[in-house]
Amino acid sequence: MARISEPTVRRLSHYYRVLDEVAAEGRPVISSHVLAEREGITSAQVRKDLSSFGSFGRRGLGYEVQRLRTEIRAILGLDRRWRVVVVGAGHIGSALLAYRGFGDQGFDVVAVYDNDGERVGQRLGALVVRPVAELSGRDDFELGVIATPVRAAQDVADLLVAAGARGILNFAPRKLRVPAGVALRTVDMTMEFEGLSFALSQPRARRRRRTSR
Amino acid sequence: MARISEPTVRRLSHYYRVLDEVAAEGRPVISSHVLAEREGITSAQVRKDLSSFGSFGRRGLGYEVQRLRTEIRAILGLDRRWRVVVVGAGHIGSALLAYRGFGDQGFDVVAVYDNDGERVGQRLGALVVRPVAELSGRDDFELGVIATPVRAAQDVADLLVAAGARGILNFAPRKLRVPAGVALRTVDMTMEFEGLSFALSQPRARRRRRTSR
DNA sequence: TTTTGTGAACGTGTTCACAGCG
DNA sequence: CGCTGTGAACACGTTCACAAAA
């Protein structure tokens, strides 16, 4: 299988969500055109994305909604459960813990760690916050979430990797170094705000592409 | 000025942060090479990015840290304050309210709205949660943050636009439609988790670029 | 000599356009 | 005929490589 680009993976997530909606509407089949319309992209893009994983459609007809949904689910690895460790029991960490949506998608938070003595021992949902030092022993998880202050982020990343994390989601506004083979995604809200600030500071002439719509 | 790409804007944010660090270290000058190293990109990229706004460096020497920091600050529109309205006083909304980092960067949250009767009237930091209906009157803000459940997201976006929002940061996992001229950024955590799930589900051979490092 | 600024070359992702198939 | 699947064309972003300047 050829290499899959990151934009393609992001769009797969979107398709998956649209298919959920469409399935709920009871529609049995969807064309690349309709799927594209809901996304604001071209139908060719939809077909290209899907064709890199196989031929899921029927010419002259479109894609069978349930079938395509199942395929994408498998492609994204959502046909299994992932164990997630959250480090940082502050506002973002607790927000993640409280959000049920992740559990529905197959992501189970199995532990929360923090270094703040005040937070350790506290109950957060079904979990009790533990000291970060105890992270070392652990090896029964796949994903780590970094929701700590920025100064601790790289150290926590190293700890997570040492404990066997295969993927990390980082909320600290800093580029992290992780070994090849460990997947890393960063959500940097500060950067998003700054992106908006930039867009609003530009002379209001040119049409920006990704920014609008 | 030629059109600026979104990746360039994101990198500007990074440069800005690196310059803060470097300034704190007391270093007066930085070369594109060193700036690139901290970012994990090439020095040519740094120079290209910066050169689309002007000639800030000196050949044979590098960039004067304070000067460059000030320039980028102005480019990003961070030399003024932005008034932000948050809609949704749930976990994400409160987390944003509680995070002081945004205030430091020039973003002031001036109001919080929610439709949940239990939350309306509650105090969140210095603000009191107000009913979403009251949003209509308001016009003394530039940025709106959507931190509501996904089903309300598009309606809230429309309300924000009607109230005069020029930019929107959306935390709901849904593509939103906004008129051209209104800047939109979406932070979709579900999608990030799914991206990690995908990466971990791939046969562990090929080296992915953006995902690692 | 060092390092910037930048046209040219390159690589990657998107769109076009049509052959292939139902 | 309608819609998918896909090579070819295109657009865009990144890297190279070097002339220009300090």
Side-chain angles (χ1 to χ4, degrees):
Chain A
M1 189 177 75
R3 189 186 147 273
I4 306 301
S5 73
E6 188 171 308
T8 294
V9 178
R10 305 186 84 86
R11 284 192 298 266
L12 283 179
S13 289
H14 272 299
Y15 301 153
Y16 186 59
R17 227 164 279 153
V18 172
L19 288 170
D20 273 347
E21 288 177 21
V22 168
E25 294 165 13
R27 210 195 284 228
V29 159
I30 190 169
S31 70
S32 61
H33 183 74
V34 174
L35 196 42
E37 207 165 46
R38 298 229 189 184
E39 277 305 291
I41 58 178
T42 69
S43 60
Q45 183 73 79
V46 173
R47 297 197 298 276
K48 255 275 152 66
D49 285 341
L50 296 178
S51 74
S52 41
F53 298 100
S55 294
F56 305 132
R58 289 216 218 148
R59 297 175 193 232
L61 213 82
Y63 300 87
E64 202 211 311
V65 173
Q66 285 302 346
R67 157 88 191 291
L68 187 55
R69 185 177 175 284
T70 306
E71 295 281 2
I72 294 182
R73 188 177 161 82
I75 291 167
L76 289 177
L78 300 176
D79 51 357
R80 53 159 288 177
R81 301 202 71 80
W82 297 98
R83 289 164 296 181
V84 181
V85 159
V86 173
V87 184
H91 297 287
I92 299 176
S94 337
L96 285 172
L97 265 287
Y99 183 47
R100 313 191 85 254
F102 299 124
D104 299 345
Q105 292 296 319
F107 298 92
D108 298 311
V109 180
V110 297
V112 200
Y113 295 91
D114 202 301
N115 248 349
D116 183 334
E118 295 227 346
R119 294 209 267 248
V120 171
Q122 258 187 15
R123 179 165 283 278
L124 266 185
L127 298 169
V128 174
V129 180
R130 306 209 229 159
V132 174
E134 290 183 15
L135 180 53
S136 303
R138 220 184 174 93
D139 69 337
D140 58 339
F141 70 101
E142 293 85 29
L143 294 171
V145 173
I146 300 178
T148 65
V150 62
R151 66 179 176 286
Q154 183 62 61
D155 288 346
V156 170
D158 296 344
L159 275 174
L160 283 168
V161 168
R166 294 179 48 211
I168 292 178
L169 182 54
N170 170 41
F171 285 92
R174 155 91 89 263
K175 278 251 169 108
L176 299 182
R177 319 259 144 164
V178 295
V182 175
L184 172 67
R185 292 241 186 173
T186 296
V187 174
D188 187 336
M189 298 180 204
T190 305
M191 185 177 290
E192 304 301 335
F193 274 103
E194 289 172 358
L196 288 174
S197 167
F198 173 81
L200 267 52
S201 302
Q202 294 308 105
R204 208 147 305 79
R206 242 177 322 283
R207 207 44 66 232
R208 257 158 304 295
R209 271 182 322 116
R210 300 282 300 270
T211 319
S212 291
R213 157 159 297 223
Chain B
M1 189 178 72
R3 187 186 147 271
I4 305 301
S5 74
E6 188 171 307
T8 294
V9 178
R10 306 186 84 86
R11 284 191 298 266
L12 284 178
S13 289
H14 273 298
Y15 301 152
Y16 186 58
R17 227 164 278 154
V18 171
L19 289 169
D20 273 346
E21 288 178 19
V22 169
E25 294 165 14
R27 209 195 287 227
V29 158
I30 190 169
S31 70
S32 61
H33 183 73
V34 174
L35 196 42
E37 207 165 46
R38 297 228 190 186
E39 275 305 290
I41 59 179
T42 68
S43 60
Q45 184 73 79
V46 173
R47 296 196 297 277
K48 256 269 150 69
D49 285 341
L50 296 178
S51 74
S52 42
F53 298 99
S55 295
F56 305 131
R58 289 217 218 149
R59 296 175 193 231
L61 213 83
Y63 300 87
E64 202 211 310
V65 172
Q66 284 303 346
R67 157 90 192 288
L68 186 57
R69 184 176 176 285
T70 307
E71 294 283 1
I72 293 182
R73 189 177 162 80
I75 291 166
L76 288 176
L78 300 176
D79 51 357
R80 53 159 288 176
R81 302 201 72 80
W82 297 97
R83 288 163 297 181
V84 181
V85 159
V86 173
V87 184
H91 294 103
I92 299 176
S94 340
L96 285 172
L97 266 288
Y99 182 48
R100 312 191 86 255
F102 298 125
D104 298 344
Q105 291 297 318
F107 299 92
D108 298 312
V109 180
V110 296
V112 201
Y113 295 91
D114 202 302
N115 247 349
D116 184 334
E118 297 226 345
R119 294 208 268 249
V120 170
Q122 260 186 15
R123 180 164 282 278
L124 266 185
L127 299 168
V128 175
V129 180
R130 306 209 229 160
V132 173
E134 291 183 15
L135 180 53
S136 303
R138 218 182 177 92
D139 70 336
D140 58 339
F141 69 102
E142 293 86 27
L143 294 171
V145 173
I146 300 178
T148 66
V150 61
R151 65 179 175 285
Q154 182 63 58
D155 288 345
V156 170
D158 296 344
L159 276 174
L160 283 167
V161 169
R166 294 179 48 210
I168 291 178
L169 181 54
N170 170 41
F171 285 92
R174 156 88 91 263
K175 276 251 170 106
L176 298 182
R177 319 260 145 160
V178 295
V182 175
L184 173 67
R185 292 242 185 172
T186 297
V187 173
D188 187 336
M189 299 180 202
T190 305
M191 186 176 290
E192 304 300 335
F193 273 104
E194 289 173 358
L196 289 174
S197 167
F198 173 82
L200 269 51
S201 303
Q202 295 307 105
R204 208 145 307 81
R206 239 176 327 284
R207 207 45 62 232
R208 257 157 303 298
R209 270 181 323 118
R210 298 283 300 272
T211 320
S212 292
R213 156 163 297 221

